[in-house]
Amino acid sequence: MHSRRTVLTTAAAAAAACAASGPAQAAEQAAVRPPSASDDRGGTAARDRLRRLISGMTPEEKAGQLFVMRVYGHSATDPDPADAEANRKEIGVANAAELIARFHVGGIIYFTWAHNTRDPHQIAELSNGIQRAGAAQRVPVPLLISTDQEHGAVARIGAPATLLPGAMALGASGSRDDSWTAGRISGAELYAMGIRQDYAPDADVNVNPANPVIGVRSFGSDPQAAARKVAAAVRGYQSAGVAACAKHFPGHGDTDTDSHVGLPYIHHTAEEWERLDAPPFRAAIAAGIDSIMTAHIVVPAFDPSEDPATLSHPILTGILRERLGYDGVVVTDSLGMQGVREKYGDDRVPVLALKAGVDQLLNPPDLAVAHAAVVRAMKDGELADDDIDTKLLRILLLKERRGLFADPYTSRRAVDRVVGIRRHLDTADRIADRTTTLLRNDGGLLPLSRRRERRVLVAGVDAAAPTGTGGPPTDVLARELTGLGFTATALPTGPKPSRELIDRAVAALDEHDAVVVATYDVTADSPQRALVAALLATGKPVVQLAVRGPYDIAQLDGVRAGLASYGWTDVELRAAARVIAGRRNPEGCLPVPVMRADAPDTALYPVGHGLAY
């Protein structure tokens, strides 16, 4: 493990040196029209009206409003038979409308794997169907529809919606304007599809290169730089009418365990937390963020009981509510993740989360069990009526603020006016052009020349696109390079290339002048190292492109030209191809350090490093 103090000592100055200093691009900001939703924080009249609404609810209805639930299918009333069967098996209902009628849930979360996100028009109609079901309840309440559209490594909605660079790529651009603009565009498109809450931006400070769950989802390793980007993104999303959500409190950036499959520990002292983890969350709160998501992590310095933060009163109430002064909505990370289920049963987890300071309970594995447990705790007095009503008021005020009580519906026209329009796509490309980072360029190997290196082989990893709609990466790179005047051929070799595939790539290089090899999370024992070594041994020019974390080059001896794109969606790969071809000057700077493989306490490339042509 590298020394975080050493890494972060120079991070702020280096990042500041790399940061863009110009004003926001007026044309890009003007490309997004503000929606009609009010950003008013909720006046006395609204509070009184919402309190009356709450007073008319039964315990079952109140409990339901605290849950945000998954549901399978592209339609609220007529999902495909397989999706209806999945709903019956997991939830006991056939579709979203039945889910709302039975459990009175306050929100629905969209997932690609739940078949909620086929295309923008379908998403908008699904949203409208969900809102019609909410309006048909005994106590009509609009639903807060949400998703994880972080962009980069985590995105639920793909093309033809606009895909933007992810957080670490935006960190590499050094521009707060880019973070604001990306949030604004993403928020406007989500709004047009009926989605009013996005579980973004990621506010974790990624000080651990081995972090298996955050990585490029973070803006970087410098807390102050990350804080500036988080605040800009929050303002961008919420200026478009969509509730932003900073995650994962109190900070998931220094874990080596994935909370989806285990329970991570953060061993920061209180002072280290204040310096490393707190700044982005403080910045988000100062920016007026609507919601904050909890982390299923243990922080012994704050809670010696070793309860995960999601269930920790000292962390959620003592620190988030009292020390940081946050009074917005607190939502759990998914309650189906192993990190929150290791210590308590699925019936106790939602009750303990509410007692700790949570308002919204996200995606429990068994909604019937969780809902019944909350109702029982309310009737038994374990959950006080006043406390539950306060939570409901926070949630309903968020819905009021995001325009749901005024008009929860959208339309095909709204989708056509906003989603994936040319101005947004062009802006995404311009932002991406400021993110690609040139780490090494010995002997001026880059940019490639259309005269000397016209025939280009593109080999390496074809990681599945996060949305399932783009890629594969080698094809995207080959198409873009061909469009830029090269003759490029894709030869995917995968994350664990066999000897046969390696030999095939070497043989193919005989017919080409240079090779671009896409790498992905290279480790000391990764077969990708053998592939790169074999390509280098041919003597042909080899360009290495890290398509996820920028750390790969530390494991690849002999590479003369190495770049980082921080993502493998089309927009990031096309930008990298333009840099490789010399159509764009590389402008990105590392937002995290790349440590030496043989001396992990020493930076090979520090924060702020980035070459230009």
Side-chain angles (χ1 to χ4, degrees):
M1 180 69 65
H2 62 278
S3 166
R4 295 181 197 93
R5 290 185 177 86
T6 301
V7 170
L8 294 171
T9 297
T10 58
C18 177
S21 57
Q25 301 294 315
E28 292 176 7
Q29 293 185 13
V32 187
R33 296 179 183 274
S36 59
S38 170
D39 195 33
D40 180 72
R41 303 303 289 183
T44 301
R47 288 174 178 269
D48 289 345
R49 173 169 48 81
L50 296 175
R51 285 192 182 99
R52 288 194 297 271
L53 191 68
I54 293 167
S55 69
M57 293 181 184
T58 65
E60 290 76 13
E61 289 166 337
K62 288 184 177 183
Q65 285 296 310
L66 302 171
F67 285 95
V68 180
M69 190 59 184
R70 69 190 178 279
V71 65
Y72 291 88
H74 70 287
S75 164
T77 56
D78 189 26
D80 292 341
D83 290 325
E85 183 57 31
N87 286 326
R88 292 187 189 97
K89 181 178 178 180
E90 294 187 18
I91 314 173
V93 298
N95 54 48
E98 290 184 14
L99 167 67
I100 294 162
R102 177 174 171 183
F103 291 104
H104 320 289
V105 294
I108 297 286
I109 179 172
Y110 288 168
F111 290 108
T112 309
W113 51 260
H115 309 141
N116 304 139
T117 57
R118 289 182 178 177
D119 65 74
H121 286 133
Q122 167 269 315
I123 295 169
E125 184 49 43
L126 173 60
S127 299
N128 284 342
I130 286 169
Q131 297 297 358
R132 285 191 290 269
Q137 297 180 96
R138 187 188 70 85
V139 179
V141 183
L143 280 87
L144 188 62
I145 299 171
S146 59
T147 197
D148 292 283
Q149 190 77 347
E150 297 177 19
H151 294 277
V154 177
R156 310 300 187 202
I157 302 168
T162 304
L163 288 171
L164 293 132
M168 192 170 284
L170 292 171
S173 85
S175 168
R176 277 178 285 182
D177 291 345
D178 285 348
S179 296
W180 183 93
T181 302
R184 176 81 167 180
I185 288 173
S186 182
E189 296 199 5
L190 292 172
Y191 190 100
M193 291 180 278
I195 299 168
R196 303 286 176 93
Q197 184 178 32
D198 189 12
Y199 297 129
D202 192 299
D204 302 308
V205 180
N206 200 71
V207 296
N208 186 348
N211 194 320
V213 67
I214 303 302
V216 293
R217 299 168 64 190
S218 163
F219 285 104
S221 65
D222 171 41
Q224 298 303 325
R228 291 189 291 271
K229 306 295 193 310
V230 166
V234 168
R235 293 188 178 102
Y237 281 113
Q238 294 190 175
S239 69
V242 167
C245 183
K247 59 189 187 185
H248 308 80
F249 189 84
H252 213 314
D254 193 16
T255 59
D256 53 16
T257 300
D258 185 344
S259 51
H260 291 83
V261 297
L263 181 57
Y265 278 66
I266 298 284
H267 292 290
H268 290 178
T269 65
E271 183 277 332
E272 286 174 324
W273 176 84
E274 187 65 51
R275 180 165 52 87
L276 298 178
D277 302 292
F281 291 102
R282 288 188 181 278
I285 293 168
I289 194 161
D290 279 338
S291 56
I292 290 177
M293 180 180 284
T294 69
H296 305 325
I297 58 174
V298 172
V299 188
F302 292 145
D303 190 345
S305 76
E306 301 195 0
D307 280 346
T310 297
L311 310 181
S312 171
H313 190 274
I315 292 175
L316 297 188
T317 297
I319 296 175
L320 181 56
R321 295 276 190 217
E322 296 172 359
R323 186 189 302 185
L324 301 189
Y326 178 64
D327 193 37
V329 169
V330 175
V331 56
T332 71
D333 206 342
S334 171
L335 297 183
M337 293 165 60
Q338 187 60 32
V340 79
R341 302 174 72 191
E342 286 202 349
K343 195 171 178 180
Y344 302 99
D346 291 338
D347 59 337
R348 290 301 297 160
V349 165
V351 175
L352 294 173
L354 293 170
K355 292 175 71 173
V358 160
D359 302 306
Q360 287 184 309
L361 301 161
L362 177 62
N363 200 29
D366 190 323
L367 179 59
V369 167
H371 184 268
V374 172
V375 171
R376 185 166 56 251
M378 291 167 60
K379 291 181 176 179
D380 291 347
E382 184 179 5
L383 294 171
D385 290 343
D386 287 349
D387 190 35
I388 293 298
D389 288 356
T390 298
K391 295 175 187 299
L392 290 170
L393 183 60
R394 286 194 192 102
I395 294 168
L396 296 184
L397 281 170
L398 191 158
K399 295 181 181 185
E400 172 81 12
R401 192 156 58 247
R402 295 302 153 210
L404 286 166
F405 282 97
D407 182 9
Y409 301 104
T410 186
S411 66
R412 291 181 66 90
R413 184 183 177 202
V415 170
D416 292 339
R417 278 204 319 255
V418 175
V419 178
I421 60 175
R422 175 48 52 190
R423 285 179 297 178
H424 288 182
L425 298 172
D426 289 346
T427 299
D429 281 334
R430 284 195 292 271
I431 291 173
D433 280 335
R434 294 188 278 270
T435 67
T436 304
T437 304
L438 180 60
L439 300 178
R440 183 181 295 166
N441 193 24
D442 296 349
L445 190 151
L446 285 173
L448 296 181
S449 164
R450 283 178 293 172
R451 185 179 70 256
R452 294 188 310 270
E453 295 106 12
R454 174 171 289 276
R455 298 172 302 168
V456 179
L457 177 68
V458 180
V461 174
D462 265 349
T467 60
T469 60
T474 57
D475 279 355
V476 175
L477 289 166
R479 284 198 305 269
E480 188 70 13
L481 287 169
T482 297
L484 294 170
F486 295 84
T487 302
T489 306
L491 176 61
T493 50
K496 297 181 180 180
S498 64
R499 187 71 250 175
E500 180 183 355
L501 269 176
I502 292 172
D503 291 344
R504 184 179 168 197
V506 169
L509 188 50
D510 285 342
E511 305 299 322
H512 294 81
D513 305 311
V515 59
V516 175
V517 57
T519 63
Y520 182 105
D521 288 355
V522 178
T523 59
D525 58 355
S526 171
Q528 294 176 71
R529 297 183 71 192
L531 169 67
V532 174
L535 294 171
L536 287 168
T538 67
K540 296 283 184 76
V542 176
V543 178
Q544 177 259 335
L545 173 65
V547 299
R548 191 171 177 126
Y551 312 108
D552 294 357
I553 196 168
Q555 299 286 351
L556 300 171
D557 297 334
V559 167
R560 291 173 50 208
L563 307 99
S565 65
Y566 311 97
W568 61 102
T569 50
D570 292 8
V571 68
E572 292 155 318
L573 295 173
R574 290 196 306 265
R578 290 191 288 271
V579 168
I580 291 168
R583 295 299 182 89
R584 292 289 183 273
N585 190 47
E587 297 183 36
C589 297
L590 279 174
V592 294
V594 174
M595 312 307 288
R596 290 176 54 132
D598 59 349
D601 287 342
T602 304
L604 176 65
Y605 300 116
V607 171
H609 174 78
L611 304 176
Y613 295 150

